[in-house]
Amino acid sequence: MSEDPRLRDTWRGGMRRAVVSLGTIVPAKEPRWPIALQASVVLTVPILVGIAFDRVDLGLIAATGAFTVPYFAALPRLERLRLRPIAGLVLVLTSAVGALLAPYGMLSALGLVVVTILVGIAVHGYRLGPPGPLFPVLVYGMSGHAVDGGLPALTLVATVAAGCTWAVIASIAPLIRRVHWQVKPRPLSVLLARPAWDRGAKELVWRTVIVTVLGTALSLLWVDPDRAYWTVAAGVVVVGVVPGRGPAVTRGLHRAIGTVVGVGIYLAISQSGMPALALAFTLGALQYVTELAITRHYAIAVAAVTPMALVIVTASAGQLGDLAVTGERILDTVVGSALAVATALLHPPAPPDPAGRHAPPHRDVPSPGT
């Protein structure tokens, strides 16, 4: 039976738009440099402290506190300050679970599945927007690698907690600007009101579940159990936060290309022999680029976050510069991205949900200022 010409044209049109998007930078709806600068500072300072105490490895682990900064970015500053400790608590709990289960292969894989699905439910239910479940999954994997590399679990979790605490403290500094006090913050009972589950949110959760379970299973059976978290991370970020087949294909292409470029950047960093101080500011610059690009050009954001994540993960396990990591991460990304693109068929062939989904609760949100 021949393929329906209309279906073939639809897929061709979708692929064409995905390719064209590689050369398109979406206009900024509002300035993101304040968030980017804050995330960069939050990441760089712990590394500098680690350098001062000759524990760069712990500094890099504490730098994961910067992963809390992008969440709730659509909300006013005072509301973000109320919610950021929750994001930090999630990262600390994720790190603790990853560290405790690291010695037990099957339990560690099961923990990855449970953590990713629970975070996915929260992200899509409350419509938290980019970066979705990515960072908790990376912290889970990083924690397992660090413990396997010999770092005591208690030291690891305490270091992540210190980094998240620093991120909350750094969130207070911008409040010296009077503009942030002009918006009355809503109580937590409103900000954390029960989510309104529309069809798109339910589809995103189901895609997250499928990608997580299949990605973990494939890694256990045919790839490498220790790398399951990267396959799952690649999948959930391609699932994204906006339902629709088109966004899935576009993000899959961006993710694959961005990862290849990012691995190249990681190789350049790890083989350059740069001093620790230069490494700290390089990672800070990559974090800045990530936050600027995350809503405007996904491939650029991936190209920046990939080397940053690889440096933190490999350094925490004493494997910085390991060339085998590069090819493995590309393979993991291809597997995870392919799974996520395939699950896009769960969405009906219709335009994606409109923009502006990404702030709890699903009602009017006061202007956040800059």
Side-chain angles (χ1 to χ4, degrees):
M1 182 180 293
S2 61
E3 184 180 3
D4 185 345
R6 291 175 298 179
L7 180 61
R8 183 173 61 248
D9 291 343
T10 298
W11 280 102
R12 284 179 177 174
M15 286 301 301
R16 187 180 304 112
R17 287 189 294 272
V19 172
V20 169
S21 71
L22 290 170
T24 304
I25 297 180
V26 179
K29 295 181 180 179
E30 59 184 27
R32 281 194 62 87
W33 69 263
I35 291 290
L37 180 60
Q38 183 179 347
S40 180
V41 170
V42 170
L43 181 136
T44 305
V45 168
I47 304 176
L48 296 178
V49 173
I51 293 171
F53 287 91
D54 198 25
R55 288 303 302 266
V56 179
D57 57 335
L58 295 184
L60 287 167
I61 292 172
T64 57
F67 293 168
T68 65
V69 175
Y71 294 105
F72 313 111
L75 296 179
R77 288 276 183 181
L78 288 173
E79 294 184 355
R80 265 183 260 172
L81 184 58
R82 290 184 172 186
L83 293 171
R84 184 148 298 155
I86 298 176
L89 181 60
V90 169
L91 289 187
V92 173
L93 291 176
T94 299
S95 175
V97 174
L100 292 175
L101 297 182
Y104 313 102
M106 289 302 298
L107 285 179
S108 181
L110 180 61
L112 173 63
V113 171
V114 172
V115 165
T116 306
I117 291 175
L118 290 179
V119 174
I121 290 172
V123 165
H124 299 308
Y126 284 100
R127 302 176 185 178
L128 301 185
L134 171 63
F135 288 145
V137 175
L138 288 180
V139 168
Y140 183 95
M142 178 272 296
S143 299
H145 274 285
V147 170
D148 289 341
L151 186 66
L154 184 60
T155 301
L156 168 75
V157 176
T159 304
V160 173
C164 292
T165 301
W166 157 239
V168 173
I169 294 173
S171 300
I172 300 174
L175 295 179
I176 61 173
R177 297 183 60 194
R178 185 175 301 175
V179 64
H180 298 307
W181 295 91
Q182 295 174 357
V183 176
K184 182 179 179 180
R186 293 165 293 178
L188 287 178
S189 59
V190 174
L191 292 172
L192 299 178
R194 180 174 296 181
W197 286 97
D198 62 4
R199 177 175 179 173
K202 293 178 182 177
E203 290 169 349
L204 289 170
V205 169
W206 276 114
R207 289 180 63 199
T208 300
V209 171
I210 294 171
V211 166
T212 302
V213 173
L214 291 182
T216 303
L218 288 173
S219 296
L220 286 173
L221 296 174
W222 291 297
V223 187
D224 185 346
D226 291 338
R227 289 153 43 198
Y229 77 96
W230 196 276
T231 302
V232 171
V236 295
V237 295
V238 172
V239 169
V241 293
V242 177
R245 297 182 179 184
V249 174
T250 298
R251 287 177 73 87
L253 181 61
H254 279 239
R255 178 72 187 182
I257 292 178
T259 297
V260 172
V261 175
V263 164
I265 296 174
Y266 165 75
L267 282 175
I269 293 173
S270 62
Q271 301 299 313
S272 66
M274 67 172 61
L277 194 62
L279 177 64
F281 287 108
T282 298
L283 294 180
L286 289 172
Q287 177 75 335
Y288 187 86
V289 172
T290 298
E291 296 305 326
L292 280 185
I294 191 69
T295 60
R296 303 186 62 191
H297 195 287
Y298 188 58
I300 294 177
V302 172
V305 77
T306 296
M308 183 174 64
L310 284 175
V311 168
I312 292 174
V313 170
T314 55
S316 67
Q319 299 173 334
L320 182 62
D322 185 354
L323 296 180
V325 170
T326 57
E328 293 171 353
R329 293 306 180 265
I330 291 175
L331 174 61
D332 300 337
T333 298
V334 170
V335 173
S337 299
L339 287 173
V341 171
T343 62
L345 294 174
L346 288 176
H347 298 301
D353 285 7
R357 294 170 50 88
H358 307 141
H362 319 309
R363 293 180 280 277
D364 294 334
V365 178
S367 173
T370 57

